[in-house]
Amino acid sequence: MKHVKRLLQTLIAIVVPLSVSSQGFLRLSLPSRETSNVSTARQFIAGRTCTGCKVSINNEAVYVYSTGTFAVKKELTEGRNTFTVLAEDANGKTYTKNITWYYAPVPPPRVTSAFRIDFMEISPKGNLELSVGDTLHVKIKGYPGAKASWFNNIPLRELPASQTGGVAGYYSGSYVLQPADSPLNGKIQVRLHNGSETAILNSTYRYSMMPHGVALTGRTIDNMTYLTSTPEGDRLGPNKIGYLDKDVLLHVVGKQGDYYKVRLSSRETAFIPEPLLDTEIPQEAPAVSIVSDAKVWGDEKADYVSVELSDKLPYTSTQIVSPGKIIVDVHGAYTEQGINSLLQGTREITGVQWQQPSHDVFRMIISLKHAPWGYQIYYEGNRITVKVKRVPENLSLRGLIIGLDAGHGGGNMGSVGLTGVYEKTLTLNLSLQLKAALEREGASVIMTRATEKFVANEDRLSLFRRANPDLLLSIHLNSSGNPVDVSGTATYYKHPFCEPLNAAIHRRLLETGLNDFKNNGDFNFILNNPTEFPDALIETLFISNPGDEEKLLSPAFQQELINKIILGLKDYLKNLESGKY
């Protein structure tokens, strides 16, 4: 405990400047260069100066926060825009920075005046391996009024100018791949014909056909294997559908970039990163299981639902908060009449329904006394089991095990504020204070890091999935390229059963006076993905906003944030106990 207190004191000294230097200086964070060419009119000037210094931009006074930071928004006019930022200290000494933006708006699309093809877009995009029945879509822009064609000389339709912003010369089409298309290899050409003239453009990516009639199967390499809805995504990666256990059998029907496309069932496909699927296995036809043996029981730790299958088949799941339900779909299985639904010693499960939403998808609907508290899906042999976590009998923080993640760390610094403070430092500071507060409430805390070090996100996820805490909190700071208008506190979750926890914390955080950046669902952050426990990603405020940053650098406000998170957790537990969800 003494070590933690000393570390907290050191961190607070690092992140909370006792006084910003009164010696004059002027440092700009935005823009990053003195001279820039830009295509958007809205630009920002943001930086830091000394305590007591005054700042003006082109002789117009600018508000300076107690941290010495400032941020303003400027609307540029077309052409050259110059600004002089001036800081003046108490002795009248001045410091200046000159900024020049050359603003040229992005020109609107114009009709192609020469006979050519300007560009081609094919979707899905990327290097593809395709199967019979897959659909390719194409859109090109070129000389208007011509005849366009592409794959197998199929004509493309020129779109009316009314559908393309008043600009003629856009052509589009689609094609469903046929068995005879098996020679498809290499690049796809689009052609534009106009009498004796022909323009040709080759695709950027390459395309080939999977051998039809020959199954390609693979098995997942471990229980950290995940499926995605697409192979493309944002900075957090493709949207994850869920995790699978080890050795689950998947049927490969294509490839897009570094992702295999797999058929889960007749109506549903997904993607999996190539390294997570072992295709060097004896090839076999995808199994179809007839489900006839089912068990529902409880022991001293949890409740369980399990069914016997002919192989380890893929599965997906979701939840309903009120009334509490867990819904699991097993792909490639179907049921016969008369499956056992007898409950044997369950305390949380109140009933199980077996459904067949399609001929090769077997569905378990598990009804609960409360909103879901977490569950794990795994195989024992070919028997798939859903282990349902029970709501604790004592719904208070005392006795709970809380997973606590201090975001970033080491070389992963996160965002940086205008004062120069790093997100990684502030998240560790807040997490250590939150740990101490939780322990005072009688909770036990598992941390991904309690010191300034790097921990890979995959290792954080693996730690918590092994430890299986009662709740998981990940502490971060938000950031935006707009330091003026964007501010506030937010929470993020992925699964429906995590919404009540996030909402309870978010409501309390708003009591600090921070702006509302919402409680946001279906978020793809790696620690939002587990189903084993309720989790919350707490983006306390925007480090990029000087007003938010000023608040967070106050030890008193840090303590207020911690208190509100604790109250939010208590609200969540109280509402669960009262049957609100």
Side-chain angles (χ1 to χ4, degrees):
M1 181 59 71
K2 290 182 179 179
H3 171 73
V4 172
K5 287 182 178 178
R6 286 197 298 270
L7 182 58
L8 273 172
Q9 292 168 353
T10 302
L11 283 169
I12 290 173
I14 292 172
V15 304
V16 185
L18 298 178
S19 63
V20 181
S21 173
S22 59
Q23 182 177 353
F25 69 93
L26 177 61
R27 188 162 53 241
L28 294 184
S29 299
L30 291 174
S32 58
R33 293 184 296 178
E34 292 182 358
T35 303
S36 306
N37 295 311
V38 296
S39 58
T40 54
R42 179 168 296 178
Q43 299 295 326
F44 300 95
I45 300 174
R48 191 184 188 197
T49 187
C50 57
T51 299
C53 283
K54 298 177 181 179
V55 174
S56 63
I57 299 177
N58 286 1
N59 297 318
E60 184 177 331
V62 171
Y63 179 77
V64 180
Y65 290 85
S66 63
T67 53
T69 60
F70 58 92
V72 295
K73 175 173 54 181
K74 294 296 180 182
E75 295 290 337
L76 307 184
T77 58
E78 194 165 349
R80 188 171 185 265
N81 296 258
T82 60
F83 298 92
T84 298
V85 185
L86 183 146
E88 182 180 354
D89 65 19
N91 298 318
K93 187 174 181 180
T94 60
Y95 308 82
T96 62
K97 298 281 187 181
N98 294 309
I99 300 167
T100 301
W101 279 300
Y102 293 92
Y103 168 46
V106 176
R110 294 185 174 89
V111 174
T112 304
S113 57
F115 184 76
R116 66 174 185 268
I117 302 172
D118 292 337
F119 66 81
M120 163 178 44
E121 296 174 349
I122 296 178
S123 63
K125 69 179 182 180
N127 295 317
L128 303 180
E129 292 183 29
L130 302 155
S131 292
V132 172
D134 286 343
T135 302
L136 291 174
H137 303 272
V138 68
K139 183 178 181 180
I140 69 171
K141 181 179 182 294
Y143 191 76
K147 292 182 179 180
S149 62
W150 72 316
F151 193 81
N152 287 349
N153 294 316
I154 294 172
L156 301 177
R157 182 175 69 94
E158 184 172 7
L159 300 173
S162 60
Q163 298 179 12
T164 58
V167 179
Y170 286 91
Y171 304 79
S172 71
S174 60
Y175 180 71
V176 179
L177 293 170
Q178 305 298 316
D181 295 326
S182 56
L184 170 65
N185 280 291
K187 299 192 173 184
I188 294 175
Q189 286 187 343
V190 291
R191 298 175 181 83
L192 204 59
H193 306 278
N194 187 24
S196 59
E197 295 181 288
T198 300
I200 297 175
L201 184 63
N202 291 314
S203 62
T204 302
Y205 298 107
R206 305 187 73 87
Y207 305 82
S208 62
M209 288 284 285
M210 296 277 295
H212 48 272
V214 179
L216 174 61
T217 58
R219 291 191 181 271
T220 54
I221 63 168
D222 57 31
N223 68 354
M224 294 289 285
T225 300
Y226 57 86
L227 297 174
T228 68
S229 56
T230 71
E232 301 166 6
D234 55 17
R235 62 184 180 86
L236 297 175
N239 180 53
K240 294 181 178 64
I241 296 173
Y243 285 82
L244 297 177
D245 203 359
K246 184 180 180 181
D247 290 332
V248 171
L249 183 65
L250 295 173
H251 180 200
V252 178
V253 294
K255 194 176 179 186
Q256 186 169 345
D258 296 327
Y259 282 73
Y260 285 121
K261 183 179 181 181
V262 295
R263 178 176 291 122
L264 302 181
S265 50
S266 58
R267 299 180 183 177
E268 190 167 350
T269 58
F271 292 86
I272 182 172
E274 183 179 1
L276 300 185
L277 190 67
D278 179 14
T279 57
E280 299 296 322
I281 62 171
Q283 293 301 299
E284 51 197 303
V288 175
S289 285
I290 302 174
V291 178
S292 58
D293 179 23
K295 295 179 182 179
V296 185
W297 78 99
D299 60 20
E300 66 279 3
K301 295 181 179 180
D303 289 354
Y304 306 83
V305 179
S306 75
V307 296
E308 183 74 23
L309 304 172
S310 64
D311 207 327
K312 294 182 176 69
L313 302 180
Y315 50 85
T316 52
S317 71
T318 188
Q319 321 87 34
I320 298 174
V321 171
S322 182
K325 295 181 187 296
I326 298 169
I327 303 168
V328 179
D329 285 347
V330 182
H331 300 269
Y334 69 93
T335 178
E336 296 180 338
Q337 298 297 320
I339 299 180
N340 174 43
S341 297
L342 178 65
L343 307 183
Q344 296 180 312
T346 61
R347 302 181 201 172
E348 183 62 35
I349 296 176
T350 59
V352 180
Q353 292 178 283
W354 318 109
Q355 293 185 357
Q356 197 76 41
S358 66
H359 75 276
D360 58 352
V361 175
F362 172 69
R363 176 169 292 171
M364 303 180 237
I365 302 179
I366 305 169
S367 297
L368 309 174
K369 288 182 181 179
H370 309 87
W373 184 266
Y375 59 96
Q376 179 187 6
I377 305 175
Y378 57 90
Y379 277 98
E380 293 177 321
N382 290 338
R383 194 170 195 93
I384 187 170
T385 299
V386 184
K387 181 180 180 180
V388 178
K389 183 177 286 188
R390 293 182 183 136
V391 173
E393 292 183 7
N394 177 25
L395 282 168
S396 70
L397 288 173
R398 180 166 298 278
L400 289 189
I401 301 173
I402 310 293
L404 185 54
D405 171 55
H408 305 282
N412 180 4
M413 296 175 289
S415 301
V416 60
L418 292 176
T419 63
V421 65
Y422 290 117
E423 179 182 1
K424 67 172 185 176
T425 308
L426 290 166
T427 59
L428 180 56
N429 182 18
L430 290 171
S431 296
L432 289 171
Q433 293 184 65
L434 181 55
K435 177 180 185 290
L438 288 167
E439 290 174 340
R440 285 194 296 270
E441 295 286 340
S444 299
V445 179
I446 301 171
M447 296 191 72
T448 49
R449 66 182 187 102
T451 59
E452 169 38 26
K453 66 176 182 179
F454 173 79
V455 182
N457 280 340
E458 292 76 12
D459 293 336
R460 298 173 195 240
L461 175 63
S462 181
L463 165 68
F464 288 129
R465 291 190 74 198
R466 290 194 311 271
N468 195 16
D470 294 305
L471 299 169
L472 170 62
L473 307 176
S474 184
I475 308 300
H476 282 252
L477 307 179
N478 234 331
S479 184
S480 169
N482 181 341
V484 176
D485 304 307
V486 181
S487 64
T489 188
T491 47
Y492 296 83
Y493 63 95
K494 183 175 182 67
H495 302 297
F497 83 102
C498 297
E499 193 277 339
L501 170 63
N502 283 261
I505 294 172
H506 185 63
R507 280 192 294 268
R508 287 294 188 172
L509 287 173
L510 289 176
E511 294 176 354
T512 63
L514 290 167
N515 288 334
D516 186 0
F517 207 70
K518 306 303 179 185
N519 178 30
N520 306 276
D522 198 25
F523 196 63
N524 197 37
F525 176 56
I526 190 168
L527 292 185
N528 288 143
N529 282 292
T531 62
E532 286 88 344
F533 33 77
D535 60 71
L537 168 58
I538 304 172
E539 296 276 4
T540 49
L541 43 65
F542 276 82
I543 192 175
S544 53
N545 180 275
D548 279 9
E549 183 189 29
E550 179 187 51
K551 291 183 176 72
L552 191 57
L553 292 178
S554 160
F557 190 81
Q558 291 178 23
Q559 188 58 58
E560 186 178 3
L561 284 176
I562 300 305
N563 293 341
K564 295 303 182 183
I565 293 172
I566 296 291
L567 288 174
L569 290 171
K570 291 181 177 180
D571 290 345
Y572 169 67
L573 297 172
K574 181 179 179 181
N575 289 336
L576 192 62
E577 185 175 33
S578 66
K580 185 174 180 180
Y581 38 73

